[in-house]
Amino acid sequence: MNLTLTVADEVRTLVPGFTHLAIEARGLVNGPSDAASSALLDDAARRLAERLDGRAPHEDPHVAAWREAYSAFGAKPSRTRNSAEALAKRALADGGLPRINLLVDAYNAVSVAHLIPVGGEDTDRIRGGMRLVRAAGTEPFVTVAGGEETVEHPEAGEVVWCDDEGVTCRRWNWRQGVRTRLTEQSVNALFLLESLAPMTRSELRAAGAELAESLEKLSPGARITVRDPE
């Protein structure tokens, strides 16, 4: 697959210590959520409750670090929460975590259990390499509004993931675009786990190993490669 991931110097300068771990997978078999993927989510919610021990998600040191990162590029973290915090709040609410599909359930479970932003991209829909940059503000971002696809643009200076066709995820890891998201037809994927201090590289590797194991169980025969943190 050899998908290139690049983090711009301007992002590393803005938020020193950012580290990401990528998992590449080929030959996946996705499908509707089932008992196995649902069990992953239930277990993740239980582990989250134990970890927080009555605290709110934003009181966790890693989530607090992400709030600071969002503030650094002008986002309001209490209004646009990073994906890990948003999922954690849902996990603790009465409705619980959503069931999306096998692959999304797997990475959402790791995100909640480890309180780390995790995303999944359909690599067959990515154009060129992926880059984490500060947006110019003109890049297209395909999303859904009112049930229909529409094109938005990030704010100038906003940290975004993008490829050669446009933005794939806004506000770092806040909202994924519809163009590259994992669907039940996806067979090749990139999973991205993103960390800041105080999360250590060993903790990041542990989260990556857990996701790789879940993917192997949910999709036997898939070829999965876990990259070293960068």
Side-chain angles (χ1 to χ4, degrees):
M1 192 177 299
N2 298 321
L3 179 67
T4 301
L5 297 174
T6 305
V7 179
D9 289 342
E10 59 188 2
V11 174
R12 293 202 182 277
T13 298
L14 183 72
V15 184
F18 168 67
T19 307
H20 66 274
L21 181 150
I23 299 175
E24 295 177 275
R26 295 188 67 84
L28 295 164
V29 178
N30 202 5
S33 301
D34 63 9
S37 70
S38 185
L40 289 175
L41 292 169
D42 288 340
D43 182 62
R46 177 190 59 77
R47 290 162 63 188
L48 172 70
E50 290 179 355
R51 173 177 178 148
L52 292 175
D53 192 25
R55 294 176 299 156
H58 70 265
E59 295 178 285
D60 179 87
H62 193 222
V63 175
W66 276 107
R67 283 195 164 212
E68 291 180 8
Y70 271 44
S71 295
F73 65 83
K76 291 182 169 58
S78 59
R79 188 175 65 187
T80 54
R81 298 178 177 89
N82 72 81
S83 61
E85 182 180 351
L87 275 175
K89 287 182 69 66
R90 294 192 69 171
L92 297 172
D94 290 340
L97 288 165
R99 273 58 174 166
I100 308 298
N101 58 53
L102 295 178
L103 298 180
V104 175
D105 290 353
Y107 77 70
N108 279 349
V110 169
S111 177
V112 168
H114 293 265
L115 271 180
I116 179 174
V118 183
E121 306 284 353
D122 187 324
T123 51
D124 292 327
R125 296 180 175 273
I126 293 172
R127 301 293 174 255
M130 289 184 61
R131 302 177 298 280
L132 186 66
V133 301
R134 300 198 72 178
T138 57
E139 301 89 342
F141 174 73
V142 181
T143 186
V144 174
E148 296 184 358
E149 285 194 6
T150 184
V151 175
E152 298 178 350
H153 301 278
E155 299 172 4
E158 182 181 322
V159 176
V160 298
W161 279 102
C162 63
D163 64 3
D164 290 350
E165 193 168 313
V167 173
T168 57
C169 195
R170 282 198 60 188
R171 292 185 185 135
W172 208 319
N173 44 43
W174 168 64
R175 177 173 293 167
Q176 184 182 30
V178 298
R179 174 170 58 89
T180 60
R181 67 184 175 185
L182 296 176
T183 68
E184 292 182 17
Q185 289 71 47
S186 299
V187 294
N188 302 312
L190 173 81
F191 300 90
L192 193 62
L193 295 78
E194 301 180 288
S195 71
L196 299 170
M199 178 172 275
T200 65
R201 284 180 174 247
S202 62
E203 290 172 327
L204 177 58
R205 288 190 181 97
E210 183 175 326
L211 178 53
E213 182 180 358
S214 293
L215 294 173
E216 289 168 353
K217 289 180 178 178
L218 292 172
S219 195
R223 300 183 298 282
I224 297 171
T225 302
V226 181
R227 295 190 190 179
D228 287 333
E230 296 181 23

